[in-house]
């Protein structure tokens, strides 16, 4: 009997870092909002080890202190890491890949439980839109 192993890691290859890919994503990708996030996504054409590459951002205008921006991104990455498995399984079953970018738009730092709820809504929307 074969069991699916849940991995709660968030490795370097899962992070969206390619400037070229990010520019293409913002130029050609689709977007939706789930407050406090604006989500931009598009299917990937080049093969990658993981089904999703994701990036997180918080604006300097709303959070002038780097400590606050880093905290927001860290909380978002943690919420993503804990809940991503359902989306990954769905994409693997359809052999698809995505590039996703989440931009934090609120003016104050939300607590982790709120962000976890919003990330789960985002994951369900991404799953349904594909």
């Amino acid at each position: 009997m074969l069991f699916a192993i849940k991995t709660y890691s968030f490795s370097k290859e899962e992070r969206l870092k390619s400037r070229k890919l990010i520019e293409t994503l913002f130029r050609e990708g689709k977007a939706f909002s789930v407050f406090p996030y604006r989500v931009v996504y598009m299917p990937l054409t080049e093969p990658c080890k993981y089904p999703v590459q994701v990036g997180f951002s918080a604006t300097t205008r709303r959070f002038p202190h780097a400590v606050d921006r880093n905290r927001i991104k860290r909380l978002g990455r943690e919420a993503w890491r804990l809940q991503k498995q359902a989306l990954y399984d769905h994409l693997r079953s359809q052999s698809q890949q995505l590039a996703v970018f989440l931009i934090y738009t609120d003016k104050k730092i939300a607590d982790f439980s709120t962000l976890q709820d919003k990330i789960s809504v985002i994951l369900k929307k991404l799953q349904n839109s594909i």
Side-chain angles (χ1 to χ4, degrees):
M1 189 173 218
L2 186 64
F3 293 102
I5 299 171
K6 285 189 176 182
T7 56
Y8 292 109
S9 65
F10 188 61
S11 69
K12 197 172 184 177
E13 292 87 15
E14 290 177 83
R15 297 173 191 241
L16 184 58
K17 296 179 293 194
S18 165
R19 182 176 294 271
K20 195 172 169 184
L21 183 56
I22 292 170
E23 287 174 0
T24 307
L25 175 64
F26 280 104
R27 208 174 329 106
E28 300 170 10
K30 296 177 184 172
F32 63 87
S33 290
V34 174
F35 187 79
Y37 284 107
R38 174 117 178 103
V39 182
V40 183
Y41 69 98
M42 79 174 199
L44 283 176
T45 54
E46 300 172 14
C48 179
K49 184 177 176 184
Y50 291 93
V52 178
Q53 283 192 325
V54 65
F56 292 86
S57 169
T59 61
T60 309
R61 179 179 288 180
R62 298 219 171 141
F63 298 98
H65 302 290
V67 175
D68 296 333
R69 290 192 302 276
N70 292 340
R71 171 118 180 114
I72 289 165
K73 292 185 283 187
R74 193 177 310 114
L75 289 172
R77 283 192 301 263
E78 181 68 7
W80 179 273
R81 180 185 75 80
L82 293 172
Q83 301 177 46
K84 68 182 179 181
Q85 198 61 44
L87 177 64
Y88 277 38
D89 293 340
H90 179 73
L91 289 171
R92 280 196 182 112
S93 69
Q94 296 186 351
S95 58
Q96 288 184 318
Q97 294 181 321
L98 275 181
V100 179
F101 206 90
L102 288 93
I103 305 161
Y104 191 83
T105 57
D106 199 0
K107 291 181 177 140
K108 59 185 186 342
I109 301 173
D111 59 10
F112 182 67
S113 61
T114 305
L115 292 180
Q116 237 180 342
D117 294 341
K118 299 302 180 174
I119 293 285
S120 70
V121 171
I122 289 168
L123 288 165
K124 285 176 188 155
K125 271 194 160 189
L126 284 170
Q127 207 168 345
N128 292 337
S129 66
I130 295 164

